[in-house]
Amino acid sequence: MNAAAKLRDVVRDNRAGLRRALPSWCTAHPDTLRAIIATCRDSDEPILIEATCNQVNQEGGYTGMTPAAFRTFAEGLMDEARVDRDRLILGGDHLGPNPWRALPAHEAMRRAGELVRAYVEAGFVKIHLDASMRCADDPTLSETTITGRAAELCAAAEDAARGSDLAYVVGTEVPIPGGETEALDALAVTPADNVRRTIDLHRDAFAARGVRDAMRRVIAVVVQPGVDFGNSDVVRFDRAKAGGLVEALTDFPEIVFEAHSTDFQSLRSLSDLVHCRFGLLKVGPELTFAFREALFAMAAMESALGGIGDSAIVRALEGAMDRNPDNWRSYVLPGPKERLERLFGLSDRVRYYWPDRDVAKAAAELKTRIDSAPIAPGLVSQFADRLDPSTEGHPISERIVRSRVGAVVDRYRTASRPPP
């Protein structure tokens, strides 16, 4: 069964009422991905790893990786963990003009077409088409323009696929990537009529663009289920408000919803999302938030009970954040809580700084020191929780990361499995 067929298998089970879903792991951090893959080793479920247009693109993105390089990177991690590559599904998230929205629409869409081609040619099969952002010469954007541009990107994907199977995701009614910049109270759930209109507009746009058949390969529509998170708060899923969403898919039996920004939702909330036809659950910042927790736990262990404020890893991170504030400044209000929120905020702005040379060096040195030191079990338990016995024999730094990240992964896997 090819990757797109595996995705459709999940969709069919979800629509049949089996409460099955597939978590989508949205991170490019190698240690975080290692923990995800290792935690998923015990089953034969697909492992869906996604990259976003800003993170990975034909110009390198902020990771410095093209789609082809990202595939090599992800497959290398699967091989390293001795997990069958056939379980890997690669997805492209928010593929569209977003990285080039400061340019005129014509040029931004030309580059977006190249982006989609690069993803498909690199073997990504789950393709989220998103042309919802305004470009430099767009005074406004109508739904017709958005879906027409999505169809243009779909045509580029179809041409690049050369007959290979793809699975499309459409729709853009989502929280902003990476979490909100302001305090949250409650969110409006996407109205059912909007869902139907989104699907119908895409069907018309695909037909007008000459890719009518591609609509049969649409497996999911992105909607706002009423979940989101900011730097210091989380809006939980309220199943009672989602009845209209469930009804909206009655006429579309081969489509499920895709939930974005599900980070920090409880097991019950995730399970309720799956029950309400959310067959794809995307999580990103919470994964690297857990990795940051693991590194800071090691820093606290290293200084015993003295805290982490003066540790080398924290100094390196704060130095990098001071030198390049673009990735956190708009998310953190100036004032006495600034340091606390930029290091510990739920939107995890720290994740942008792990590739920094000084930060990477400090992290590697910290792990080396922890792995070579005689760390008392009680000290590990105090700062890093109890470790998974199945990781016995692995370096202690790896075990701590597995513990923190694995706890997040296990919550999503539990919510996504059919009950016994």
Side-chain angles (χ1 to χ4, degrees):
M1 186 183 298
N2 66 33
K6 291 177 183 178
L7 289 169
R8 282 191 283 273
D9 193 46
V10 172
V11 170
R12 278 193 295 271
D13 283 352
N14 182 280
R15 293 306 307 269
L18 296 182
R19 301 192 187 183
R20 183 185 178 197
L22 192 63
S24 171
W25 314 115
C26 303
T27 178
H29 191 281
D31 285 352
T32 305
L33 283 171
R34 285 188 180 99
I36 292 167
I37 294 167
T39 305
C40 295
R41 187 189 286 121
D42 64 352
S43 77
D44 58 359
E45 278 285 289
I47 299 174
L48 172 58
I49 298 174
E50 297 217 34
T52 67
C53 59
N54 289 328
Q55 186 183 57
V56 173
N57 57 50
Q58 71 271 32
E59 297 170 7
Y62 70 74
T63 63
M65 284 188 279
T66 64
F70 187 87
R71 175 174 183 160
T72 299
F73 162 69
E75 289 179 338
L77 293 176
M78 296 288 282
D79 293 345
E80 178 185 299
R82 298 182 181 178
V83 176
D84 191 342
R85 284 188 184 186
D86 286 344
R87 291 179 58 191
L88 176 65
I89 299 176
L90 292 174
D93 194 28
H94 295 289
L95 300 189
N98 191 58
W100 307 284
R101 63 188 183 277
L103 299 174
H106 175 76
E107 176 62 16
M109 283 300 297
R110 182 186 69 78
R111 297 194 190 191
E114 293 175 353
L115 168 76
V116 170
R117 284 180 175 276
Y119 268 79
V120 173
E121 289 172 353
F124 288 68
V125 299
K126 180 179 174 291
I127 305 296
H128 176 207
L129 303 170
D130 182 5
S132 63
M133 59 291 302
R134 287 192 302 168
C135 300
D137 56 352
D138 287 325
T140 59
L141 272 185
S142 68
E143 289 179 304
T144 302
T145 299
I146 291 170
T147 53
R149 289 178 180 177
E152 180 182 340
L153 297 175
C154 181
E158 290 287 294
D159 184 61
R162 302 183 185 278
S164 62
D165 203 3
L166 297 176
Y168 292 108
V169 177
V170 299
T172 58
E173 197 162 327
V174 295
I176 66 172
E180 299 290 349
T181 59
E182 299 177 356
L184 298 168
D185 182 16
L187 295 166
V189 175
T190 300
D193 287 345
N194 287 21
V195 177
R196 300 185 189 98
R197 185 168 67 251
T198 292
I199 296 173
D200 288 342
L201 284 170
H202 278 87
R203 179 181 289 115
D204 292 345
F206 281 25
R209 192 72 190 187
V211 288
R212 181 191 303 270
D213 285 350
M215 197 66 201
R216 294 187 293 106
R217 291 185 280 283
V218 173
I219 63 166
V221 59
V222 177
V223 297
Q224 172 52 274
V227 305
D228 203 354
F229 64 98
N231 225 19
S232 57
D233 46 8
V234 178
V235 178
R236 305 290 179 186
F237 179 61
D238 185 348
R239 181 171 165 178
K241 296 180 180 179
L245 282 177
V246 176
E247 288 297 317
L249 287 184
T250 300
D251 296 331
F252 309 104
E254 296 180 350
I255 293 177
V256 292
F257 295 121
E258 176 170 279
H260 288 223
S261 294
T262 66
D263 307 69
F264 306 104
Q265 295 290 314
S266 67
L267 174 58
R268 177 168 182 173
S269 293
L270 293 173
S271 299
D272 284 348
L273 280 164
V274 175
H275 178 81
C276 292
R277 301 291 184 261
F278 284 86
L280 297 163
L281 305 176
K282 298 179 75 67
V283 55
E286 187 180 4
L287 296 166
T288 43
F289 181 92
F291 173 78
R292 193 270 310 153
E293 285 185 317
L295 266 289
F296 280 22
M298 293 180 216
M301 288 160 49
E302 186 179 43
S303 54
L305 300 179
I308 64 170
D310 294 324
S311 68
I313 186 62
V314 176
R315 289 199 304 272
L317 273 170
E318 294 202 286
M321 297 178 94
D322 288 339
R323 290 191 300 273
N324 179 17
D326 292 350
N327 290 314
W328 65 269
R329 179 70 278 174
S330 61
Y331 286 77
V332 177
L333 292 174
K337 295 182 179 179
E338 180 177 299
R339 183 172 188 250
L340 192 68
E341 289 196 355
R342 77 173 187 174
L343 285 178
F344 299 98
L346 299 182
S347 60
D348 189 40
R349 310 318 295 173
V350 169
R351 70 185 185 275
Y352 294 97
Y353 298 92
W354 295 117
D356 179 90
R357 183 178 60 184
D358 292 342
V359 174
K361 180 174 181 288
E365 290 174 349
L366 171 62
K367 288 187 284 186
T368 297
R369 290 193 299 270
I370 289 294
D371 290 338
S372 61
I375 304 293
L379 193 60
V380 174
S381 179
Q382 176 67 40
F383 293 107
D385 297 330
R386 286 170 174 78
L387 304 182
D388 183 350
S390 70
T391 62
E392 191 78 43
H394 291 259
I396 189 69
S397 63
E398 180 183 333
R399 297 185 70 196
I400 292 170
V401 172
R402 278 278 304 274
S403 172
R404 292 283 186 171
V405 178
V408 179
V409 174
D410 281 339
R411 190 171 79 253
Y412 276 82
R413 295 179 74 204
T414 300
S416 301
R417 290 173 179 147

